[in-house]
Amino acid sequence: MISGSHVILHSQDAPADRAFLRDVLGFPGVDAGGGWLIFKLPPAEVAVHPTDDAPRHELYLMCDDLHAELDRLRAQGVGATRPVSEQRWGLLTAVRLPSGAELPLYQPLHPVAHGL
């Protein structure tokens, strides 16, 4: 029986990105040993999209109210890296991790599976 999923973010500044996940996003975590933090994520879902390119994986964090979340993040000094855009499937933006990587955020406008 599959009991969960484990997402890995490869980072050029892992300590700073770990601190961001803990301190800015507020994800609780455990120390797996030697300061190696593993964070609890909100409920998740997975989708499989067709591609003609090489297979790849993406991570998006979902928000019930994207604008309220952006206000919360701005109060902590974190701004969006791109304007909020309305896609067919939701409202989309991103924030920048301390390492420089973008982390997309979106408010779905489609039915969600994580509440099942």
Side-chain angles (χ1 to χ4, degrees), residues 48-91:
V48 179
H49 293 226
T51 183
D52 292 328
D53 297 324
R56 61 187 171 100
H57 308 290
E58 299 178 34
L59 170 68
Y60 290 75
L61 295 181
M62 298 166 68
C63 308
D64 292 333
D65 183 335
L66 182 60
H67 293 287
E69 183 62 17
L70 287 174
D71 289 342
R72 186 186 77 76
L73 291 169
R74 281 187 199 105
Q76 296 186 63
V78 178
T81 59
R82 49 181 128 145
V84 173
S85 64
E86 186 166 345
Q87 307 296 316
R88 180 179 40 84
W89 42 268
L91 302 177

Side-chain angles (χ1 to χ4, degrees), residues 5-27:
S5 61
H6 185 90
V7 175
I8 298 172
L9 301 179
H10 293 270
S11 173
Q12 294 182 340
D13 191 348
D17 286 351
R18 289 177 188 141
F20 183 89
L21 293 175
R22 181 191 61 221
D23 302 335
V24 176
L25 297 184
F27 292 166

Side-chain angles (χ1 to χ4, degrees), residues 39-52:
F39 297 95
K40 178 181 182 206
L41 290 175
E45 55 188 34
V46 63
V48 179
H49 293 226
T51 183
D52 292 328

